[in-house]
Structures are given as structure tokens and as C-alpha cells.
Amino acid sequence: MAPTLMIGNVPIYGDLILAPMAGYTDLPFRVLCREMGSAMSYVPCILDEAVIHGASMTDALLRFSSEERPVAIQLLSKDEDSLAEAGRRLLALDPDFIDLNLGCPARHVSWRGRGAALLCDPRKIGALVSRLTRAVSVPVTAKIRLGWDEESRNYLEVAHILEDGGVAAIGVHGRTKAQGFGGRADWGAIAEVKAAVKVPVLANGDVRTVADIAAIRTATGCDAVLIGRGAVGNPWIFQRRDIAGVSYLERLAMIRRHLAAMVAHYGEPLGVVLFRKHLLKYVQELEGAKALRQRLVTLESPEAVMDLLESWEPSRPGASSPSALEPRRVTAH
Ligand SMILES: Cc1cc2nc3c(=O)[nH]c(=O)nc-3n(C[C@H](O)[C@H](O)[C@H](O)COP(=O)(O)O)c2cc1C
């Protein structure tokens, strides 16, 4: 089978990819999404200094599974020496790519000149990527936003600098740093990047449905689509299925699997507690699930979570009587 695209010398099979999301795209969720059809994995942002100084928490965050390959490990940096050193050290983990984060808006990060803050200093971006590409033997990729704010949308300049610096693919989130996650992603700007560079462009922002996938592909001409929030509670998106068409029984099976993977990875009760944000998304738009959600976030054992979910029957969408919108059997635990 011919690959959908090549990132450097690495073939990518498929055009939908789980976007990096710190706090969500941990190993269990990435493996699950990869199985569902995400074409590669990103280990989300890790500070270069944390890699160099090797704190144990960082080691846990850096873990990935061979089932996830191809895998990019994403770095946050503002210093060429540290970035090159961190990149070299990461090679011991044998990642397929190293990705430079140029979009993180978090204050504690960007205030210190990393992530999206680098968009204000394109020359620095050039220095960082050309140093990193020389330091490591795997392809280097980058993920950007459109600029710092509306007045400084310098995505074309940054994209050219990245390509000249030797990156093998560019992920573009169609918002500025100032926009955070609000408003609409500008897919037209992503199309401009695609037209301006020869390396693959991964389009990102506001893809939540199968129709959105087709629309962003048409609007941008991108090589692949990065899906972030739209995948939380809906890994079926990678099979090009909308959540509205996923039955409660299918959701239960997915929840059981995801929860078991979380408990295996983090232990109890941490795995259950960390799973809650996913769990709420799995049942988010089910009618009558408000009381269920309130109860679910109090439970600390996987058995209690599954017992409650299995004893709950979703009401049919469109049911006319208000009582029909309530869960019919909710047992106490
Ligand atoms: C909770 C959260 C954490 C994120 N963490 C990262 C990250 O570690 N690295 C990164 O490049 N982008 C990160 N992002 C941005 C996403 O990768 C993506 O660009 C953004 O959510 C827009 O895509 P979406 O509309 O599909 O969610 C994060 C987004 C969210 C919501």
C-alpha cells in the first residue's frame, strides 16, 4: 500500500492524526486513537531542560509504545544548545521524529520565550531548527500558530524559515496565540502555507465531524489533518464516524477499554481520576446524562464506574416526555 504522505523518509499511512494535547494525549489515549486510525502519535510538549536534567516525571511523560509508531516527541525550547542537547538525548528513545512546539500559548511557557512566544522572533526560530536538524538523525517537524496576534500574523515568513531550516513537515493550528482556543480557526491561512511550502502541511483547528474533515481538506489542500479536541470522547473520528452515530453499547465497550488502559498505566485510583475528563466527553451529549455525569465524577474504582454505566440506559433522542429524558435505572454505589 502506498503511503498517504512521507515525513522525511518516514511513510505515513492515513490522513488523520491525533494532535498533541498535554494532559489528554497520554500513552493510553494515543494507543487507542492509533488503533482507531490515527496515522501517527505525538508525545506532547516536553521542556528541553527537563529532558537534559532527566526528572522522573518527565521520563514517565516521555514513554511511548511501539504500537504508536511513527512517533514524534515534541520539545519546547528557546535555546539552540539546550534544544540540540535534548534532541540528541531523545534519540536514545528512538523516536521517529522530533517536533518543535511553536504554538503553546500557556503563560508559564510562553512567558519564558518558548512555544508561541518564538513566533515573535522568526530569526530565532531559524536558528533553533537549523541547529536541531543538524543535531539529530531523525526528521524534525514543527507545529505553529498563525502568529502572536492579529497584527503579527507572520505564518508565511515562519513557514519559509522552517522549510529553509530543514523541517520535514509543518503542523499549522489556524489561530494566533492571542486567540487562544476561541473564535474560528482560519483554514484559508493554512491553505496559504500549503501553497507556499513543499514539505507536507498538517492542517489543524476545529475539526469535530466527518464533514469538517472533508471541508478542511478541501479548504486547505493539506496533506493530513491534526484532530485535537474533536477526538476526546470520540476516537471514532479516526474511522470517519460521527459521535452521534455511535451507540451507547459501543461507547461502553470503548470506555471499558480506555479505563482499563488508564488503570494499567497509572494504577488506582489515579488512573480512574485522570480518566474522568475523558469519561465525561464519552457521555457528553447523551440526553438525560446530567445526573449520570455528576455521579461518575465521584467514583474512584473502575468497577464502580462500569457498574454505574452498565446500569444506566440512555433515553432515546427526541423523546417527548420530560421523564423519558431521565435515566431509567441508576443504582447506588
Ligand atoms: C488541553 C490541550 C492541550 C494541548 N497541548 C498541546 C501540546 O502539548 N502541544 C501542541 O502542539 N499543541 C497542544 N494543544 C493544541 C492542539 O494540538 C491543537 O492545536 C488545538 O487544540 C486546535 O485543534 P483542535 O481544534 O482540533 O482541538 C493543546 C490543546 C488543548 C485543548
Side-chain angles (χ1 to χ4, degrees):
M1 192 173 65
T4 310
L5 69 148
M6 296 290 292
I7 298 186
N9 56 355
V10 180
I12 306 291
Y13 295 89
D15 64 347
L16 305 180
I17 297 168
L18 177 65
M21 286 184 292
Y24 284 85
T25 57
D26 53 7
L27 189 151
F29 189 52
R30 295 195 310 261
V31 168
L32 194 143
C33 289
R34 187 78 180 84
E35 279 176 32
M36 294 296 285
S38 169
M40 59 171 275
S41 270
Y42 282 88
V43 175
C45 53
I46 311 275
L47 271 180
D48 53 357
E49 285 161 12
V51 173
I52 294 166
H53 301 300
S56 58
M57 185 57 188
T58 311
D59 292 342
L61 289 174
L62 275 170
R63 272 179 52 201
F64 63 87
S65 154
S66 57
E67 302 155 71
E68 296 181 61
R69 288 190 183 280
V71 171
I73 299 182
Q74 188 182 61
L75 282 174
L76 276 162
S77 182
K78 61 174 179 179
D79 176 82
E80 293 93 296
D81 290 337
S82 302
L83 179 61
E85 179 59 20
R88 272 193 295 269
R89 289 187 186 219
L90 286 182
L91 294 181
L93 300 175
D94 198 19
D96 299 283
F97 315 108
I98 295 183
D99 185 78
L100 182 61
N101 180 316
L102 298 171
C104 182
R107 287 184 165 188
H108 65 281
V109 171
S110 55
W111 275 12
R112 293 193 216 132
R114 302 179 177 87
L118 286 166
L119 298 173
C120 302
D121 191 354
R123 273 200 317 194
K124 183 78 176 171
I125 292 177
L128 287 167
V129 289
S130 49
R131 188 68 184 281
L132 181 60
T133 50
R134 277 184 281 127
V136 298
S137 51
V138 296
V140 169
T141 60
K143 182 160 172 284
I144 68 171
R145 284 183 178 242
L146 300 182
W148 181 259
D149 59 17
E150 207 49 36
E151 284 68 51
S152 57
R153 289 173 28 124
N154 57 353
Y155 48 93
L156 288 181
E157 179 189 6
V158 168
H160 283 302
I161 287 173
L162 289 171
E163 188 170 45
D164 292 346
V167 302
I170 305 173
V172 187
H173 176 192
R175 288 188 175 82
T176 62
K177 184 269 169 194
Q179 282 179 288
F181 295 93
R184 290 286 304 168
D186 180 354
W187 293 350
I190 303 175
E192 289 178 53
V193 175
K194 172 62 191 164
V197 297
K198 293 194 182 65
V199 294
V201 169
L202 316 178
N204 173 234
D206 298 344
V207 172
R208 291 176 187 273
T209 63
V210 177
D212 291 339
I213 295 170
I216 197 171
R217 293 221 55 169
T218 306
T220 64
C222 64
D223 299 274
V225 180
L226 294 176
I227 304 177
R229 292 162 296 172
V232 181
N234 182 17
W236 295 272
I237 189 92
F238 297 110
Q239 297 182 337
R240 286 181 154 79
R241 287 182 67 196
D242 283 327
I243 189 70
V246 179
S247 72
Y248 187 61
L249 274 182
E250 283 179 282
R251 292 182 202 212
L252 271 187
M254 183 66 75
I255 290 169
R256 189 178 298 110
R257 217 170 119 206
H258 191 168
L259 178 55
M262 292 291 279
V263 169
H265 188 70
Y266 294 105
E268 274 184 54
L270 183 61
V272 181
V273 172
L274 292 176
F275 183 62
R276 285 176 186 161
K277 57 189 176 229
H278 291 278
L279 184 51
L280 294 181
K281 291 285 182 183
Y282 280 117
V283 298
Q284 180 171 254
E285 79 330 334
L286 293 177
E287 291 198 50
K290 188 169 171 222
L292 175 75
R293 286 192 294 271
Q294 285 167 351
R295 306 249 346 261
L296 282 172
V297 294
T298 65
L299 304 176
E300 292 200 342
S301 86
E303 295 78 19
V305 169
M306 291 316 302
D307 283 354
L308 176 54
L309 286 168
E310 278 161 10
S311 65
W312 189 80
E313 289 175 35
S315 28
R316 282 184 302 281
S320 52
S321 129
S323 61
L325 298 178
E326 292 299 315
R328 272 165 273 174
R329 283 190 292 126
V330 177
T331 51
H333 290 278

